[in-house]
Amino acid sequence: MKTQIIATDNAPAAVGPYSQGTQLGDFIFTAGQLGIVPETGDFAGSDIESQTRQALRNLQAVLETGGSCLEHVVKVTVFLRDMEEFGQMNEVYAQFFSDKPPARSAVQVGALPLGGRVEIEAIAEVCGCEGGREECCCC
């Protein structure tokens, strides 16, 4: 199987030698997404809620570019600078994954790139429909 690189201007550019996402077979693997607004390069805010919301929007943009969406996510990993903010992150996260939430891990780390409060990565199935189906989030 050949790996395909996923890149979009709708999510922050990689800040190192890595891709925003890769597709291998029927799965997309995203890089960790910070709460950075792609148009400005700045964090969406200083609080965990705004950074979580923007990180998930960035994740969504990478997935959609690769032919998937949040509804096709099967595994998420959340990296938190402070586990005390888990509850606030979880409230925002639940708004994006309200129906059939994927498997998830959440860990506290010593630090995140650029001083972020949260970083989120995912594994998703590529949409297999032929397009135009109402029940498909990707079409």
Side-chain angles (χ1 to χ4, degrees):
M1 272 186 248
K2 184 178 175 184
T3 301
Q4 295 179 325
I5 302 301
I6 299 169
T8 178
D9 291 336
N10 295 324
V15 291
Y18 64 89
S19 301
Q20 292 170 317
T22 57
Q23 179 183 345
L24 180 63
D26 293 334
F27 289 95
I28 292 174
F29 302 83
T30 72
Q33 296 297 313
L34 296 167
I36 294 174
V37 178
E39 296 82 12
T40 66
D42 296 325
F43 282 103
S46 60
D47 59 286
I48 188 70
E49 294 90 349
S50 59
Q51 288 191 24
T52 300
R53 189 171 295 105
Q54 186 63 50
L56 289 165
R57 286 178 183 147
N58 295 340
L59 186 70
Q60 187 171 19
V62 173
L63 292 172
E64 288 176 357
T65 299
S68 190
C69 63
L70 293 176
E71 290 182 33
H72 288 275
V73 171
V74 295
K75 174 68 168 78
V76 174
T77 305
V78 177
F79 303 94
L80 293 163
R81 189 171 73 188
D82 183 354
M83 193 57 81
E84 293 292 320
E85 296 181 325
F86 178 85
Q88 296 99 308
M89 176 280 299
N90 204 43
E91 286 181 29
V92 175
Y93 180 95
Q95 296 168 11
F96 285 78
F97 294 105
S98 58
D99 188 40
K100 299 180 187 176
R104 182 182 76 186
S105 301
V107 296
Q108 178 175 313
V109 296
L112 289 169
L114 306 175
R117 304 187 80 78
V118 63
E119 183 174 359
I120 304 172
E121 66 181 25
I123 300 170
E125 182 181 26
V126 175
C127 177
C129 79
E130 297 299 319
R133 291 179 24 201
E134 288 183 28
E135 68 271 10
C136 181
C137 59
C138 304
C139 299

